[in-house]
Amino acid sequence: DNGGWIQGGSVNRPFRGEKGTVFEGGIHVPAFVVGNGLSQQSGSVRNDLVHVCDLLPTLLSYANIPFIPQQFDGISHWLSLESSQPMNRHFVPVNSASPVMFHFTAYIEIVSNSTFKYLYNPSVVLFLTTASIGDVYSSEGEFLFNLSEDKSETKNLLDDVEKSLEIRTLLKYFHWKVL
């Protein structure tokens, strides 16, 4: 299951957040793969983007069972695992298809060899809990992190008043992709 409740004793370090948020502490999940045909040596670590919807296509490819890739939201990573090549997922939409997307969203994409993450109102459970008791939810606003340099999500690139052209362009791009 994704992320742990900090109040329940979970430690999600070095990641920020917990279950019920779309910060890395709430969505980042470790995984491992073991099996014949893998080229990686025991104990190797990969930091590729993978989404749970990629599991079935990858397992079907491993078992050599034919399938039509367009019938799945996920993609097969078997050739990458078999050959030690980088995996071919370049983006992960998190909650972008949610019926409450207007209230919160998260989107991760590799841009120019760096992994950026855009968030809008990242505390999903806070939103849902507040709405369920009839209170008004106060927007947390927007966040943009470079996960390649800041996996703990401590530096919101949007806090810089004099945003660089690169950051302003990235923000427009993410708005176009998810809002």
Side-chain angles (χ1 to χ4, degrees), residues 36-133:
N36 294 329
L38 296 173
S39 65
Q40 286 81 15
Q41 295 187 352
S42 177
S44 64
V45 175
R46 298 189 62 152
N47 291 306
D48 299 297
L49 286 178
V50 178
H51 191 273
V52 68
C53 66
D54 299 334
L55 293 177
L56 184 56
T58 301
L59 292 172
L60 291 172
S61 294
Y62 171 73
N64 206 19
I65 297 172
F67 66 96
I68 300 170
Q70 293 79 9
Q71 292 179 330
F72 295 94
D73 290 332
I75 55 178
S76 173
H77 293 296
W78 176 244
L79 293 177
S80 298
L81 290 169
E82 190 177 42
S83 65
S84 292
Q85 296 300 312
M87 294 189 187
N88 51 359
R89 176 168 286 287
H90 300 285
F91 68 92
V92 175
V94 182
N95 292 331
S96 65
S98 168
V100 290
M101 182 180 83
F102 177 74
H103 300 288
F104 65 90
T105 194
Y107 183 83
I108 303 168
E109 183 165 343
I110 299 172
V111 178
S112 301
N113 295 320
S114 289
T115 303
F116 288 92
K117 181 176 182 182
Y118 170 79
L119 300 171
Y120 179 71
N121 292 333
S123 297
V124 177
V125 169
L126 178 63
F127 165 76
L128 295 173
T129 305
T130 305
S132 72
I133 60 173

